[in-house]
Amino acid sequence: MKHQVRMGGALGLALAALLAGSPVWAQDSVEDFYRGKSIDMIIGYSPGGGYDQYARLVARHLGKYIPGNPEIVPRNMPGAGGLLAASFMYNVAPQDGTILGTSDQSLAVSQAMGDPRITLDTSEFGYVGSPAMENNVLVTWHTSGIDTVDAAREQPSAIGATGGSTSWQYPTIMNALLGTQFEIITGYPGGNDINFAMESGEVDGRGSVNWASVKPLGWVERGLVNVLVQIGLQRESELPDVPLLFELAENEDDEQLLRLLSAPTAIGRPIFTTPNVPEERLKALQDAFDQMVADPEFIAAAAQENLGIIPVSGEQLRATVEEILAMPPEVTSRLAEFIATE
């Protein structure tokens, strides 16, 4: 009988701690879960591009801050402009917090437009954070003869893209609304592949690249690329004379549409986990991310790779995604009319 009383007392205390939301209980539960485990980091692009660089940087450092200190293993899964990786995470991967990933920042816009390829709900991912939030830019190689948007209106030019991502969306909408003559070449598995194609003369430019990924390449300083337009809601301090995409609009309706297309730059290089991850594990991942991006050791490691750190929290990412999905249907449907899947 005494043995039964002791068992009941221990179970009663444990249940009381759980019901009270004891931080110690939650922390021990998360730590026990992750101890000795590894986390896969699914990267929706081929090695070497901006998404890949930031994801691998996070993979090297994030485990230090997660209770239980799991190892994080990068795994590239390129295809469909990042959609293959996002679909894997949404439909196939275990929903227990052992999978992280990164994919195109414009997925929520594609969903809002009703893109038939999007068979997932971006609002259901567990957003952990983004290490960088800077504008995207459309660039052309210095030998292309296309150094301004006006020049792109006057003559055709081949622009490399990864698929139905921003690298394809931006030149497509510029053709439709601004009269440019970009011939969009899709099928590249990642941004680094487009860079090589641009350097070799296979294409004249790249439809989208994050400004944070361009700076360390030294292209601008050496006069190797022309930055035609930047996509964001405010100009980068280092690009004061490069127009924002929505500033090129000829009327208010077009400006509203281009602002929607520009909104995902606030998402940056998103790191997220699968839907339905237990709340305490998602919170632990978000807290770990916030600690990591504030750590001088991580900031120094990013600087060694010439990667800028302008972090966005998981909660901020979630709020931005929900704001995009709540845009008026007349705006999203009009954008969808211009951007038909290739």
Side-chain angles (χ1 to χ4, degrees), residues 2 23 36 39 58 66-67 69 102 111 116 122 133 160 171 196 198 213 218 238 252 272 280 286 293 297:
K2 290 182 180 179
I39 294 175
V58 170
I66 300 172
N69 305 126
T102 188
Q111 179 185 342
T122 54
M133 177 187 66
F196 287 135
M198 195 165 51
S213 299
E238 295 130 325
E252 187 175 341
F272 52 89
E280 69 274 11
Q286 292 172 333
V293 294
E297 180 181 339

Side-chain angles (χ1 to χ4, degrees), residues 17-41:
L18 179 62
L19 293 176
S22 166
V24 174
W25 174 278
Q27 179 72 7
D28 286 345
S29 174
V30 172
E31 184 172 355
D32 289 343
F33 176 78
Y34 280 117
R35 186 182 291 111
K37 285 188 172 66
S38 63
I39 294 175
D40 283 345
M41 173 73 80

Side-chain angles (χ1 to χ4, degrees), residues 57-58 61-62 65 131 292-303 309:
L57 176 69
V58 170
H61 293 270
L62 185 62
Y65 309 89
M292 178 190 70
V293 294
D295 190 332
E297 180 181 339
F298 173 78
I299 296 171
I309 300 299

